Amino acid sequence: MNNNTKYFRFFFLLSILCLLLNDFFLKEIFHNQITGKLSDFSGLFAFPYFISLLFPKNVKLNYIFSGVLFIIWKSDFIEPLLVFIQNIGIGVNRTVD
């Protein structure tokens, strides 16, 4: 394991810890824009890192895909799909910033 791998693993674990702490405690206490952005930032680091562990040959594509997926998820374009999913009984919630 080289130094870069150690640093990225540390930052991955730190981002997961930050995400969990934020979602289970800080949002309940403060519930403001900072806690929302903290979740976005932590998730945008942790999710593509995790996907890159599963698909190590496509690291750049994993990060690009994660960014595009995040933009789509936060936009109004996906609203009809979410309404359909909710109408068939699957609870899906999101916050549009």
Side-chain angles (χ1 to χ4, degrees), residues 79-94:
E79 190 67 31
L81 178 62
L82 292 175
V83 169
F84 172 74
I85 291 171
Q86 290 171 347
N87 286 338
I88 63 173
I90 301 172
V92 177
N93 296 320
R94 73 178 174 127

Side-chain angles (χ1 to χ4, degrees), residues 49-92:
Y49 184 89
F50 175 72
I51 296 299
S52 294
L53 291 174
L54 298 175
F55 305 104
K57 292 183 180 182
N58 301 318
V59 173
K60 284 185 182 180
L61 186 61
N62 294 335
Y63 277 84
I64 292 169
F65 175 73
S66 297
V68 170
L69 187 64
F70 178 78
I71 291 169
I72 292 170
W73 178 254
K74 288 292 192 168
S75 71
D76 290 330
F77 297 121
I78 201 166
E79 190 67 31
L81 178 62
L82 292 175
V83 169
F84 172 74
I85 291 171
Q86 290 171 347
N87 286 338
I88 63 173
I90 301 172
V92 177

